[in-house]
Amino acid sequence: MYDSSDFVDRLLVDPADSSGFGDDDVWTYPVPVTPGPTDDTRLRLATSRLVRTNLRKLYQPLHERFYVVVVEVFCDVPGLPRAGHHDEITVGFRTRRLHTSLTRKGRPARRVAANLVAELAKQQGLGACVPTSNDVRDVWWADAAWRRRFEEDHAADLAEIDCHTDVQQWLVSPKGGGRWRTVCDQTDAVLEGEHEEIIRMTRLPVRERDAECAEDAGPTGPGSRSLWFGVIPTYSGEHWLAPQPGGRPPVIERKLDDHAIYEIECVVEETREGCPPLTWVSAPTEPFRLADPMDPAGTKNRTVTITLPDFRRLAARAAEKQGPGGIRIVTPPDSQMKFNPFGGGMPKSGEGRIGAGAAICTFAVELFFIVAFFLFLMFLPIVVLLFQLWWLLALRFCIPPRVGFSAVADFLATGKVIGGAGWNATLAAELDIALGTDLRDVPVTGGWADELAAAKDPSGAFVFKNDSKMTHALIVSTDPRDASQPTPLPHEVSPSDPLCPVPAPVH
């Protein structure tokens, strides 16, 4: 695993020079939790926590994570001598999908999975929980170690479940596209021209250290190393028609998704003139799942900086002649949306018209971003308040923090509440700023203090009005001084190489 796009340079120097796996590199399941009423930290906002399994998770390139499989080839004879020349062999790897099916779905499977996740949560100090997530049924086959542990305690439920795992291969069609097929399935024959996708691997150049250890000290001689590498694909834009049981119509699914379990096998093929090729297959890698592009544990690894359009520069640009650049919007005939945005409120049903269109308008790209960011600022509080997703506010912070930020936090830490004794307009203004809404000099009344004081849960109880700890948790969760600092990943220690031991240093 690597954390930068220059991983090939590091790989060529030393195949073992990589980053170590950590707690974020295993598959997790969100489970609902009930925060403690006396907690005044950001944990008070977390209505879910993550339960870890032992299943590996591979992230996407946009998460600044890159993965490589490395294999060394030896001669298949006693003593495993080095392979030497490679004109007659090709090396690649194939991705296999582990597809698990249940012939008895429903309560037994859900009950076993729920108990398994609850036990995992208990072992990890998360307390009691009742899993309700749709993917909770996956966990009982995703973590084999815990499944074995449950066999005795839940024998009755397990007896009602027939779990079967098929190994599937990705077949490529000469007409384009592909499909997953169960290996050795006699009812699903390989069609003419189909073949399993093998991703070619590249031979690593012989390092100086390897050449010195070679029997004839030559990079092309029979004693040289035979190390090969290939980049593991963690994303694909391909889709396929997946057949459905019970005669239902097939559905379109992604080739690689975040629900399936995969493993990799390396394949060496030796061509022989006039004879079928000889093929050797390695043992499979550890099973793994792929992270979704929106996986929070992955997106936190990448920082994107966007500078808002400078109004002063745009105003100066307006004094110049319009240039050819920008976003050209072409309206096809009879596709123009006509409505009056000045009618006072949202246009009502039937008030719009479809115009003739056929016009071409050019907009500065900054206009789209200004309007989009305005809508984001306007709708974020609406979404938070409408659905009471208070933890959304903990996913943002601004720097540098204002002096008044600590004043609001200190006020709430004493047990006082918003709108109560000691609360004033200055604290209300600082609360607005802390939550991303600067209402100073804006000729309107109200703000976050009024909205939070009026917020009620589904039972009708006030959420913040009488709970200073809940409000304090909301404020401190946006404190930039509490943000995690970027830290390098742990370095994977190079294992001892039995074919080329490093000489002990001479003192």
Side-chain angles (χ1 to χ4, degrees):
M1 181 179 72
Y2 300 89
D3 58 355
S4 62
S5 57
D6 63 347
F7 63 94
V8 174
D9 295 334
R10 294 171 55 186
L11 179 71
L12 294 178
V13 176
D14 184 0
D17 179 20
S18 61
S19 300
F21 280 80
D23 290 341
D24 285 342
D25 299 302
V26 294
W27 192 261
T28 56
Y29 289 89
V31 295
V33 296
T34 302
T38 60
D39 195 338
D40 63 351
T41 69
R42 63 188 309 117
L43 293 178
R44 181 72 182 276
L45 306 178
T47 56
S48 297
R49 300 291 296 276
L50 296 177
V51 176
R52 296 189 305 274
T53 70
N54 293 326
L55 184 66
R56 286 286 180 91
K57 177 167 65 172
L58 272 57
Y59 290 97
Q60 304 290 333
L62 61 87
H63 300 148
E64 292 294 328
R65 294 294 182 267
F66 308 89
Y67 302 89
V68 172
V69 57
V70 178
V71 66
E72 185 162 9
V73 179
F74 299 92
C75 295
D76 189 15
V77 296
L80 297 178
R82 299 179 182 182
H85 295 290
H86 307 284
D87 296 336
E88 74 287 357
I89 69 170
T90 58
V91 183
F93 70 88
R94 62 193 183 192
T95 301
R96 293 288 177 89
R97 188 173 79 162
L98 306 182
H99 182 262
T100 303
S101 59
L102 301 176
T103 57
R104 175 66 184 273
K105 296 182 179 179
R107 292 183 180 178
R110 288 194 294 268
R111 190 160 51 240
V112 169
N115 290 334
L116 180 56
V117 174
E119 179 66 17
L120 284 169
K122 181 180 178 181
Q123 292 293 327
Q124 295 169 25
L126 299 183
C129 67
V130 181
T132 58
S133 177
N134 290 332
D135 65 355
V136 73
R137 288 174 293 177
D138 296 345
V139 72
W140 83 281
W141 66 72
D143 199 315
W146 282 92
R147 186 173 69 245
R148 287 193 297 269
R149 176 180 173 182
F150 259 54
E151 286 181 351
E152 294 183 3
D153 295 341
H154 301 273
D157 286 333
L158 289 172
E160 299 184 41
I161 303 173
D162 184 9
C163 176
H164 181 71
T165 300
D166 293 319
V167 179
Q168 297 183 329
Q169 58 185 170
W170 179 257
L171 295 180
V172 179
S173 171
K175 298 179 181 180
R179 65 186 180 99
W180 287 108
R181 171 190 174 271
T182 299
V183 177
C184 300
D185 185 355
Q186 302 299 326
T187 63
D188 185 11
V190 178
L191 304 178
E192 183 180 358
E194 285 186 326
H195 64 276
E196 184 171 13
E197 181 182 53
I198 303 291
I199 299 178
R200 294 290 297 271
M201 301 178 69
T202 303
R203 187 186 178 192
L204 287 167
V206 177
R207 299 170 298 172
E208 181 179 353
R209 183 175 118 196
D210 295 326
E212 293 174 353
C213 291
E215 296 173 1
D216 58 0
T220 60
S224 60
R225 304 295 294 268
S226 184
L227 287 167
W228 302 72
F229 81 95
V231 179
I232 300 175
T234 55
Y235 173 82
S236 173
E238 293 185 72
H239 291 71
W240 71 297
L241 279 176
Q244 302 298 303
R248 290 178 294 172
V251 297
I252 298 177
E253 293 183 357
R254 290 179 291 172
K255 172 187 175 183
L256 302 177
D257 59 38
D258 58 318
H259 297 292
I261 299 176
Y262 304 93
E263 60 185 18
I264 288 175
E265 297 175 343
C266 293
V267 180
V268 177
E269 190 173 89
E270 179 183 358
T271 57
R272 300 184 299 168
E273 185 176 354
C275 297
L278 296 175
T279 303
W280 294 267
V281 181
S282 72
T285 63
E286 277 191 56
F288 60 88
R289 290 178 72 169
L290 301 175
D292 184 86
M294 290 292 108
D295 189 317
T299 56
K300 71 177 184 179
N301 298 326
R302 189 183 189 95
T303 300
V304 178
T305 300
I306 299 175
T307 302
L308 287 173
D310 189 328
F311 285 10
R312 301 165 302 170
R313 292 181 179 276
L314 287 176
R317 178 69 180 86
E320 304 175 6
K321 292 184 178 180
Q322 298 174 352
I327 299 178
R328 300 176 74 243
I329 303 296
V330 180
T331 305
D334 299 323
S335 300
Q336 179 187 13
M337 295 181 290
K338 299 173 62 177
F339 62 95
N340 183 5
F342 311 108
M346 290 291 294
K348 297 180 175 59
S349 175
E351 291 184 350
R353 296 292 184 270
I354 300 299
I360 300 176
C361 298
T362 301
F363 300 86
V365 65
E366 294 88 347
L367 297 184
F368 284 90
F369 196 90
I370 290 172
V371 174
F373 194 67
F374 163 76
L375 292 175
F376 171 78
L377 293 177
M378 183 172 65
F379 278 97
L380 178 59
I382 295 175
V383 172
V384 171
L385 295 168
L386 181 63
F387 299 102
Q388 297 197 346
L389 301 177
W390 314 117
W391 48 264
L392 284 178
L393 297 174
L395 302 179
R396 55 163 299 282
F397 63 89
C398 297
I399 53 175
R402 291 174 50 82
V403 175
F405 182 94
S406 297
V408 177
D410 293 342
F411 175 88
L412 297 170
T414 61
K416 299 178 181 180
V417 296
I418 52 176
W423 186 259
N424 53 48
T426 300
L427 291 175
E430 293 297 339
L431 175 66
D432 290 332
I433 297 173
L435 297 181
T437 308
D438 189 352
L439 298 180
R440 294 173 300 175
D441 304 325
V442 178
V444 294
T445 58
W448 274 108
D450 295 335
E451 296 296 336
L452 294 179
K456 296 181 180 181
D457 63 20
S459 68
F462 287 105
V463 179
F464 297 95
K465 185 175 183 179
N466 302 317
D467 192 342
S468 62
K469 294 186 181 297
M470 179 66 173
T471 315
H472 184 269
L474 185 66
I475 296 301
V476 297
S477 66
T478 66
D479 189 349
R481 294 167 297 187
D482 189 45
S484 299
Q485 299 301 317
T487 55
L489 291 177
H491 188 76
E492 187 74 32
V493 179
S494 297
S496 177
D497 188 347
L499 297 182
C500 192
V502 179
V506 179
H507 297 287

